[in-house]
Amino acid sequence: MIAVLWLINAVLNLYWWIVIISVVLSWLFAFNIVNRGNPVVDTVAGFVHDMTEPVLSKIRGFMPNLGAVDISPIVLLLGITFLQIFINTSIAPALV
Protein backbone atom coordinates (compact mmCIF):
# COMPACT_ATOMS: atom_id res chain seq x y z
CA MET A 1 0.00 0.00 0.00
CA ILE A 2 2.94 2.36 0.60
CA ALA A 3 3.95 1.84 -3.04
CA VAL A 4 0.50 2.99 -4.16
CA LEU A 5 0.76 6.12 -2.01
CA TRP A 6 4.24 6.76 -3.40
CA LEU A 7 2.83 6.46 -6.95
CA ILE A 8 -0.04 8.85 -6.16
CA ASN A 9 2.45 11.33 -4.69
CA ALA A 10 4.68 11.04 -7.77
CA VAL A 11 1.75 11.59 -10.15
CA LEU A 12 0.61 14.63 -8.13
CA ASN A 13 4.17 15.99 -8.24
CA LEU A 14 4.31 15.50 -12.03
CA TYR A 15 0.93 17.20 -12.46
CA TRP A 16 2.16 20.09 -10.27
CA TRP A 17 5.00 20.65 -12.74
CA ILE A 18 2.64 20.41 -15.73
CA VAL A 19 0.55 23.21 -14.21
CA ILE A 20 3.70 25.32 -13.71
CA ILE A 21 4.70 24.73 -17.35
CA SER A 22 1.20 25.73 -18.44
CA VAL A 23 1.42 29.03 -16.54
CA VAL A 24 4.89 29.82 -17.89
CA LEU A 25 3.83 29.01 -21.45
CA SER A 26 0.79 31.26 -21.15
CA TRP A 27 3.06 34.12 -20.08
CA LEU A 28 5.48 33.41 -22.94
CA PHE A 29 2.59 33.47 -25.43
CA ALA A 30 1.12 36.65 -23.91
CA PHE A 31 4.38 38.57 -24.25
CA ASN A 32 5.16 37.15 -27.73
CA ILE A 33 8.37 35.51 -26.57
CA VAL A 34 7.34 32.15 -27.98
CA ASN A 35 5.42 31.66 -31.22
CA ARG A 36 2.77 28.96 -31.58
CA GLY A 37 3.82 28.63 -35.22
CA ASN A 38 6.70 26.41 -34.13
CA PRO A 39 5.46 22.79 -34.34
CA VAL A 40 7.36 21.67 -31.23
CA VAL A 41 6.04 24.55 -29.14
CA ASP A 42 2.52 23.96 -30.45
CA THR A 43 2.70 20.24 -29.57
CA VAL A 44 3.96 20.94 -26.05
CA ALA A 45 1.39 23.71 -25.52
CA GLY A 46 -1.41 21.48 -26.80
CA PHE A 47 -0.41 18.62 -24.50
CA VAL A 48 -0.11 20.88 -21.47
CA HIS A 49 -3.43 22.57 -22.26
CA ASP A 50 -5.19 19.21 -22.68
CA MET A 51 -3.81 18.02 -19.34
CA THR A 52 -4.67 21.10 -17.30
CA GLU A 53 -7.74 22.69 -18.86
CA PRO A 54 -10.37 20.17 -17.64
CA VAL A 55 -9.40 20.75 -14.00
CA LEU A 56 -8.79 24.48 -14.35
CA SER A 57 -12.15 25.04 -16.06
CA LYS A 58 -13.95 23.36 -13.15
CA ILE A 59 -12.07 25.59 -10.70
CA ARG A 60 -12.93 28.69 -12.78
CA GLY A 61 -16.59 27.66 -12.59
CA PHE A 62 -16.92 28.38 -8.88
CA MET A 63 -14.43 31.23 -8.54
CA PRO A 64 -15.41 34.88 -8.87
CA ASN A 65 -14.47 36.67 -12.07
CA LEU A 66 -11.35 38.78 -11.47
CA GLY A 67 -11.16 40.17 -15.00
CA ALA A 68 -7.89 39.47 -16.75
CA VAL A 69 -6.33 37.80 -13.70
CA ASP A 70 -6.72 34.02 -13.61
CA ILE A 71 -5.81 32.57 -10.22
CA SER A 72 -7.21 29.09 -10.92
CA PRO A 73 -3.68 27.62 -11.36
CA ILE A 74 -2.77 28.92 -7.89
CA VAL A 75 -5.86 27.29 -6.42
CA LEU A 76 -4.99 24.03 -8.21
CA LEU A 77 -1.38 24.11 -6.98
CA LEU A 78 -2.57 24.74 -3.42
CA GLY A 79 -5.01 21.83 -3.74
CA ILE A 80 -2.29 19.50 -5.00
CA THR A 81 0.05 20.55 -2.19
CA PHE A 82 -2.70 20.08 0.40
CA LEU A 83 -3.45 16.60 -0.96
CA GLN A 84 0.23 15.63 -0.85
CA ILE A 85 0.61 16.85 2.71
CA PHE A 86 -2.57 15.04 3.75
CA ILE A 87 -1.37 11.78 2.18
CA ASN A 88 2.11 12.04 3.71
CA THR A 89 1.02 13.05 7.21
CA SER A 90 -2.33 11.34 7.73
CA ILE A 91 -2.73 8.33 5.46
CA ALA A 92 0.85 7.02 5.08
CA PRO A 93 1.65 6.89 8.83
CA ALA A 94 -1.58 4.97 9.48
CA LEU A 95 -0.45 2.25 7.08
CA VAL A 96 3.02 1.73 8.52
Side-chain angles (χ1 to χ4, degrees):
M1 191 63 172
I2 296 297
V4 173
L5 293 178
W6 177 87
L7 180 63
I8 291 170
N9 199 18
V11 169
L12 287 172
N13 195 25
L14 179 64
Y15 196 71
W16 192 88
W17 282 107
I18 290 173
V19 172
I20 294 292
I21 291 169
S22 171
V23 170
V24 170
L25 274 176
S26 73
W27 291 342
L28 293 176
F29 291 143
F31 294 115
N32 276 337
I33 297 172
V34 176
N35 187 359
R36 276 198 96 123
N38 185 336
V40 174
V41 172
D42 190 46
T43 303
V44 171
F47 170 76
V48 168
H49 182 268
D50 291 344
M51 292 295 292
T52 58
E53 193 56 33
V55 179
L56 291 175
S57 65
K58 290 180 183 175
I59 293 172
R60 285 185 201 112
F62 68 84
M63 289 184 52
N65 187 5
L66 298 176
V69 179
D70 182 19
I71 62 168
S72 59
I74 296 171
V75 173
L76 180 58
L77 292 175
L78 287 172
I80 290 171
T81 304
F82 171 78
L83 194 57
Q84 286 179 319
I85 291 170
F86 179 73
I87 289 171
N88 292 334
T89 61
S90 298
I91 297 175
L95 298 175
V96 176

